[in-house]
Amino acid sequence: MTPAPFSAPVELPLPRTYSAPGVLGRIVAERTQDYAGADFELGKARPRARRFHAALARPGLQLIAEVKRASPSQGAIAPLDPAQAARSYVCGGAACLSVLTEPRHFGGSPEALHAVVAAVTVPVLRKDFVVHPKMLQEAADWGAGAALLMVSVLGEDVGAYLKLAHYFGLDALVEVHDEAELDIALAAGAEIIGVNNRDLTTLAISLTNSPRLIAHARAAGYEGLLVAESGYRTRDDIASIREVADAVLVGSSLAGSGDLERAARELLA
Ligand SMILES: O=C(O)c1ccccc1NCC(=O)[C@H](O)[C@H](O)COP(=O)(O)O
């Protein structure tokens, strides 16, 4: 695929304190503190390879398999070796990988991302709670092909973060949970929208959320890629999004399965 040239001048999002209710609010406050006063210089624009986008745009439902060792909803999931987990997921048919880099609640780390990028050739998403421009620069420096941007955290600032992700050569998975957030993602020009079934303030999951909002996005004329996220455990679970989503992002059920390659293959069968 020909790299897309970067043209627009970047509107740098000013680091500021974001807030959110519940568990999400606690994590966002911690990540804001982690990056307070971070050393950040914009530097040069980097070419966009759009490999993450291309991998998800292939025909059929694509799998983004997540390297997830723990979570607020499950506690400890599995003491995965990131590189080994990544190789197993790819052998099981994953098109892309998602790697958590948040350390306190998800057992993630920059090292996990480095290890995965070195172990496989498929594009890798940096999964974190982006609250500072430095986090996108790090994602690019660490070899990720994409970063997560959450509308529930960034609100209208997601547009500026999206442009910055592109400036750094990254694709962005812009995550929404309800209609209002979807409208913000659409207005921001998101090329890839993820619909989370998990309400991150209560941690409750509803598998009807993704198909509902995916239908809503398509009805609004959205032609970008749509990813269903969270709570999927079985082939039956993904039946409702198989024909409507471009990809499904799965973490806990694969990571905790004991046989990651087989679990990924069986989910996609
Ligand atoms: O997974 C959690 O408990 C969680 C809690 C608070 C904020 C975010 C959280 N998860 C992040 C994710 O988006 C999921 O890791 C991802 O969608 C995969 O979900 P699952 O397959 O249900 O592990």
Side-chain angles (χ1 to χ4, degrees):
M1 177 167 207
T2 318
F6 180 82
S7 54
V10 72
E11 170 201 350
L12 196 59
L14 290 175
R16 60 187 184 88
T17 303
Y18 295 100
S19 59
V23 180
L24 181 61
R26 196 163 71 241
I27 301 170
V28 165
E30 290 164 355
R31 288 316 251 164
T32 302
Q33 188 59 39
D34 291 341
Y35 283 86
D39 192 19
F40 176 73
E41 269 184 46
L42 182 61
K44 285 200 178 125
R46 306 179 200 193
R48 287 192 66 199
R50 299 189 80 206
R51 289 184 61 238
F52 186 81
H53 186 283
L56 300 187
R58 288 188 211 124
L61 185 74
Q62 302 301 320
L63 173 65
I64 307 171
E66 189 156 276
V67 178
K68 186 173 186 181
R69 293 158 62 108
S71 75
S73 47
Q74 309 249 328
I77 296 172
L80 300 179
D81 173 78
Q84 215 168 55
R87 283 190 285 266
S88 300
Y89 280 152
V90 172
C91 288
C96 296
L97 300 178
S98 165
V99 180
L100 281 146
T101 52
E102 193 284 336
R104 297 180 187 85
H105 305 271
F106 295 88
S109 63
E111 291 72 27
L113 185 59
H114 297 317
V116 169
V117 168
V120 295
T121 57
V122 302
V124 180
L125 171 80
R126 179 185 186 184
K127 193 84 173 315
D128 208 317
F129 298 80
V130 168
V131 288
H132 193 288
K134 178 83 179 177
M135 298 175 86
L136 294 181
Q137 193 171 50
E138 287 175 343
D141 288 347
W142 298 344
L148 179 74
L149 299 176
M150 300 167 71
V151 178
S152 56
V153 173
L154 300 171
E156 302 274 355
D157 284 358
V158 78
Y161 273 93
L162 180 62
K163 288 200 178 86
L164 187 63
H166 292 170
Y167 184 87
F168 285 133
L170 299 167
D171 289 323
L173 176 62
V174 178
E175 183 179 288
V176 304
H177 179 67
D178 59 27
E179 278 82 355
E181 290 181 7
L182 176 61
D183 288 345
I184 292 173
L186 294 173
E191 297 171 352
I192 312 171
I193 297 179
V195 180
N196 205 335
N197 290 314
R198 182 179 283 114
D199 178 333
L200 299 184
T201 63
T202 63
L203 303 185
I205 288 180
S206 165
L207 293 187
T208 59
N209 205 45
S210 283
R212 185 174 58 80
L213 287 185
I214 284 172
H216 191 95
R218 290 295 182 221
Y222 180 67
E223 292 180 352
L225 300 178
L226 286 158
V227 180
E229 298 178 18
S230 302
Y232 296 103
R233 309 192 69 80
T234 66
R235 287 185 66 224
D236 285 351
D237 287 345
I238 61 173
S240 64
I241 47 104
R242 200 176 268 281
E243 302 302 326
V244 295
D246 297 289
V248 61
L249 193 158
V250 186
S252 314
S253 65
L254 296 178
S257 66
D259 185 339
L260 279 61
E261 178 180 341
R262 185 171 162 187
R265 190 172 291 124
E266 285 182 357
L267 193 70
L268 290 172

